[in-house]
Amino acid sequence: MPIQHTDVLLYTGVVTAESGREGRVSSDDGKLDVTVSQPKELGGAGRGTNPEQLFAATYSACFHASIAIVADMEKVDITGSSVTARVAIGKNDDGFGIIADLTAHLPGVEPAVAQKLLDKAHEICPYSRMTREGIEVSLQVG
């Protein structure tokens, strides 16, 4: 079940986008401030990052942290590990859709053990849960 406003919230990131996919995104604390632009593959200039790269960055970081939690519980050493996310946008019958592919590199971990870690991480990762269960969204005019 997606987290609700009535649950205990631990942190809220605040980012503002200006000019959509051809503009800028910046956080209220100044730690994120980047130019976004359409990739050349979508007809843009490709001068900045794009929403797919930003989502890939956040999903891979969160999923890697989830693997680390599971590995710690299972007493599996994942030193030198990484997660690569590939996030694609495409057209479907409803307009546009997103797909994600996560590849974990777990040096020294047996493939069967690695797969179990990934499966368990996929169950606890908030981003993975969001892709399965949805996310509560509220819309306001400011």
Side-chain angles (χ1 to χ4, degrees):
M1 165 184 256
I3 191 169
Q4 305 291 315
H5 281 294
T6 56
D7 293 330
V8 177
L9 303 179
L10 302 175
Y11 171 76
T12 301
V14 180
V15 175
T16 301
E18 300 169 5
S19 300
R21 293 179 70 98
E22 290 291 341
R24 174 178 169 248
V25 293
S26 59
S27 61
D28 64 338
D29 62 5
K31 293 181 180 177
L32 176 72
D33 190 348
V34 296
T35 299
V36 292
S37 64
Q38 286 278 52
K40 290 181 180 181
E41 296 84 352
L42 296 179
R47 285 187 289 264
T49 189
N50 58 67
E52 293 74 34
Q53 288 175 334
L54 292 170
F55 183 64
T58 58
Y59 196 176
S60 62
C62 190
F63 195 76
H64 192 269
S66 297
I67 292 171
I69 290 168
V70 173
D72 187 54
M73 291 186 324
E74 300 288 328
K75 308 284 190 254
V76 177
D77 182 7
I78 61 164
T79 301
S81 62
S82 65
V83 173
T84 300
R86 291 170 180 80
V87 173
I89 186 170
K91 289 186 177 183
N92 60 25
D93 292 340
D94 296 327
F96 291 91
I98 298 285
I99 59 172
D101 173 73
L102 300 174
T103 302
H105 303 280
L106 305 174
V109 179
E110 294 292 324
V113 172
Q115 188 61 54
K116 286 181 184 178
L117 293 177
L118 296 186
D119 292 342
K120 289 180 180 180
H122 190 54
E123 291 301 314
I124 68 165
C125 175
Y127 278 70
S128 289
R129 290 181 64 196
M130 175 185 65
T131 64
R132 281 193 310 280
E133 301 170 6
I135 180 174
E136 179 183 332
V137 176
S138 62
L139 305 172
Q140 295 86 231
V141 174

